Amino acid sequence: MKKLAVSVIAFLFLFSAAAVASAADNPLADQEKAVHKEFSAAIPADRLVDVFKLHEAWTKAMADPEYRKKVYFLDVRTHPEFYAFHIRGTDHVHAGHMYTLPKKITDPNAEIYVFCRTAHRAQYVAGFLYKYGYKNVYCIVDGTKDGKKYEGGVVGWAMAGFPFVNQFTGEFVITGYSKELKETGEYNLREFHPY
């Protein structure tokens, strides 16, 4: 009886390991990568820029109201991400709602900077915008300055020490950004109840 139980447990373990291994060979994930590559390829190489180019355009727009009317800074993160913190004066559209942009930005020559947390969603949206017919779209991707690598999007903006805002704190600078904290939940505060 013990041998049968051990055999069944061993079989279940091997079956589970095989299921996990086959999940790693997900053809849909591979297809997503191929589609992402297709949309990224629609963006001209000179329109893949870093956070320093974004900061340069943003600084100009914040100082020049006429230029600000002609330029769009599209943060395509989710609503909770945007409300937690964002770059002052940016425009927000969830990446899943990019189909609404031709109704909102009717000039195909408008200067548009697209960014997200790092660069993945921004490349989809920028690629779509080029497919829609926009001609002057910049996608914020990884870059290097003074030998240091900066990620694209708001992570790179934070790495560069540029300011953010939200409705609760006003302007602030993120001094440390960690994806690991998000994944482990270590950033959560303990909750104390008064009872």
Side-chain angles (χ1 to χ4, degrees):
M1 186 69 170
K2 285 184 181 179
K3 286 184 181 182
L4 178 63
V6 170
S7 297
V8 169
I9 291 172
F11 174 77
L12 289 174
F13 175 77
L14 290 173
F15 180 77
S16 299
V20 168
S22 68
D25 297 327
N26 181 347
L28 295 175
D30 293 339
Q31 186 60 25
E32 186 278 331
K33 289 177 185 172
V35 170
H36 186 265
K37 187 175 181 179
E38 173 190 337
F39 278 91
S40 296
I43 308 165
D46 66 336
R47 301 306 166 101
L48 296 169
V49 299
D50 62 21
V51 294
F52 297 99
K53 172 69 174 164
L54 173 63
H55 186 261
E56 179 185 309
W58 175 81
T59 300
K60 180 180 175 185
M62 294 302 106
D64 181 351
E66 287 306 309
Y67 175 61
R68 179 63 185 103
K69 291 177 187 176
K70 301 174 192 174
V71 64
Y72 297 88
F73 301 101
L74 290 181
D75 184 331
V76 297
R77 295 176 301 148
T78 64
H79 295 293
E81 288 175 295
F82 183 82
Y83 294 139
F85 63 91
H86 57 274
I87 300 167
R88 181 174 51 94
T90 55
D91 306 295
H92 179 243
V93 63
H94 183 289
H97 296 153
M98 65 190 139
Y99 64 89
T100 64
L101 290 173
K103 294 176 188 167
K104 297 176 189 243
I105 304 173
T106 58
D107 178 5
N109 296 306
E111 187 175 347
I112 304 170
Y113 291 83
V114 181
F115 59 93
C116 59
R117 188 181 68 79
T118 54
H120 196 82
R121 291 172 281 182
Q123 288 173 315
Y124 269 119
V125 173
F128 263 108
L129 294 178
Y130 274 105
K131 289 177 181 275
Y132 291 166
Y134 291 98
K135 297 170 180 59
N136 203 14
V137 178
Y138 295 87
C139 184
I140 312 309
V141 296
D142 295 355
T144 304
K145 183 174 183 179
D146 300 327
K148 181 178 177 183
K149 183 181 182 233
Y150 291 84
E151 291 193 46
V154 297
V155 171
W157 186 272
M159 290 173 72
F162 300 140
F164 292 98
V165 296
N166 70 23
Q167 66 185 15
F168 303 109
T169 64
E171 188 172 281
F172 60 93
V173 173
I174 295 175
T175 58
Y177 185 94
S178 174
K179 183 178 179 186
E180 290 77 29
L181 290 178
K182 178 182 174 196
E183 291 171 353
T184 64
E186 290 179 34
Y187 65 91
N188 291 336
L189 298 174
R190 288 187 288 184
E191 211 173 306
F192 293 100
H193 299 283
Y195 39 31

